[in-house]
Amino acid sequence: MMGNKLRHPLSKYLLEDRLPHSWCPGCGIGIALGSILRAIDKKVKEGAIDYNKLVLVTGIGCSARAAFYVRFDSAHTIHGRAIPFASGVKLANPSLTVLVFGGDGDIAGIGGNHLIHAARRNMDLLVFMITNFVYAMTGGQVAPTTPTGLYTTTTPKGNPERPLNAIKLVASQNPNYVARASATHPALIEQYTYKALNMEGFRFIEIISMCPEVFGRHIGFNDPVTLYKTLKSKSIVKDKPSLDESDYDWNHGWILGEYVLRRNPGYLTTLRRYEG
Ligand SMILES: Cc1ncc(C[n+]2csc(CCOP(=O)(O)OP(=O)(O)O)c2C)c(N)n1
């Protein structure tokens, strides 16, 4: 039994009996989740959100396992379908704060169609997409986000495709908030989450993340620290970047920042107007 003094500051939000978690040493998913939980904790302490009304919905993948570890309502659904499941939760009980957390394959690959339409509807969800550039859980296959030219287990001669820019894709619809953060910059994840938590409408935060095992190791990084430092050096923070600056490639890296901030009515507000 641990005394209160030794409890982790985020214990309230984590099912500690499920630990240790399944993420590899050096993986960025835990850093991302920790930063999100710190932002939630601030909001809960300020009385801006109700801890008892938090819901986390995930699909399938390493990132999606976050649903196993949080100590509030969560649903671990099927691959690519976290957004429609979460939309149903929000529509059934609009008083809930509904979060979606998933990998780039889950959210923008198999679930890409749902991503577009939830953004188009300005559905009242906060979606976090972990971009680790591969399908990690299944062994490092090419993902829609894999930078051109990189080795993956299914592109042994290099990825011939250009990566999907989820920032531009989501922004082209009707979302209220679009930002890109990185597990190499946890304070930014916390800051953007804090800002987006109480907004209505569709909010999308892409989080670039380290997968040392089936991404880093496969492209020649022998230890997680070197991969971390490399991703950090490729992450440029910018104040109000333009959407044209959101394209990325492995050589030039990527711009972190807030790409879209609007205060349009969310889906539920719009729906109520139609229902009179
Ligand atoms: C319908 C369906 N297709 C394929 C799979 C196999 N599968 C499980 S996890 C996964 C990849 C997950 O990758 P990503 O969403 O990027 O998450 P990560 O593991 O990188 O966090 C795949 C293809 C599945 N479970 N269900």
Side-chain angles (χ1 to χ4, degrees):
M1 292 283 282
M2 271 199 288
N4 264 351
K5 278 188 185 156
L6 292 177
R7 293 199 78 198
H8 188 277
L10 294 175
S11 296
K12 177 177 175 185
Y13 300 93
L14 292 167
L15 292 171
E16 289 167 301
D17 53 335
R18 299 255 173 99
L19 301 177
H21 56 67
S22 58
W23 298 313
C24 306
C27 170
I29 300 171
I31 297 176
L33 183 63
S35 310
I36 292 165
L37 294 178
R38 277 192 294 278
I40 289 174
D41 186 42
K42 269 194 202 159
K43 287 282 186 187
V44 168
K45 284 183 175 146
E46 289 167 8
I49 55 172
D50 182 349
Y51 169 74
N52 294 309
K53 295 203 164 182
L54 276 170
V55 183
L56 179 77
V57 181
T58 70
I60 298 292
C62 295
S63 311
R65 293 183 78 92
F68 291 2
Y69 305 123
V70 293
R71 196 197 288 272
F72 42 84
D73 284 336
S74 68
H76 187 232
T77 67
I78 51 174
H79 202 16
R81 311 299 170 224
I83 288 179
F85 190 101
S87 303
V89 171
K90 183 68 184 176
L91 288 169
N93 186 350
S95 73
L96 299 174
T97 299
V98 185
L99 316 173
V100 172
F101 188 91
D104 37 11
D106 196 43
I107 302 283
I110 185 168
N113 197 31
H114 302 302
L115 177 66
I116 296 168
H117 294 287
R120 175 178 65 80
R121 295 182 177 115
N122 208 14
M123 183 58 70
D124 302 87
L125 299 175
L126 173 50
V127 176
F128 298 95
M129 182 175 95
I130 300 292
T131 294
N132 55 14
F133 305 120
V134 284
Y135 288 161
M137 180 173 265
T138 41
Q141 295 84 2
V142 73
T145 51
T146 308
T148 310
L150 289 193
Y151 170 93
T152 71
T153 50
T154 47
T155 56
K157 294 186 176 172
N159 177 24
E161 303 176 7
R162 63 191 287 270
L164 176 83
N165 179 347
I167 296 288
K168 249 187 195 166
L169 177 76
V170 174
S172 72
Q173 299 305 307
N174 184 35
N176 270 353
Y177 189 70
V178 179
R180 181 185 283 142
S182 169
T184 57
H185 293 64
L188 270 193
I189 305 175
E190 190 177 327
Q191 184 190 318
Y192 296 165
T193 305
Y194 181 83
K195 191 169 204 172
L197 265 168
N198 278 119
M199 291 174 62
E200 56 178 90
F202 194 77
R203 291 141 288 156
F204 179 77
I205 303 179
E206 178 178 33
I207 302 171
I208 307 287
S209 183
M210 302 73 79
C211 170
E213 261 312 297
V214 296
F215 175 70
R217 204 162 50 84
H218 287 180
I219 59 168
F221 291 94
N222 293 328
D223 69 279
V225 176
T226 319
L227 176 64
Y228 170 87
K229 285 184 175 163
T230 302
L231 291 195
K232 190 164 188 175
S233 71
K234 291 179 184 293
S235 304
I236 313 297
V237 186
K238 206 165 169 187
D239 190 31
K240 298 195 184 80
S242 75
L243 284 170
D244 284 337
E245 294 173 289
S246 62
D247 286 336
Y248 65 89
D249 64 49
W250 188 249
N251 292 330
H252 299 98
W254 35 83
I255 308 270
L256 310 181
E258 296 173 287
Y259 286 92
V260 174
L261 176 59
R262 301 186 187 114
R263 300 278 175 188
N264 288 335
Y267 187 74
L268 279 151
T269 303
T270 308
L271 197 60
R272 282 190 200 107
R273 283 186 194 154
Y274 276 81
E275 285 173 343

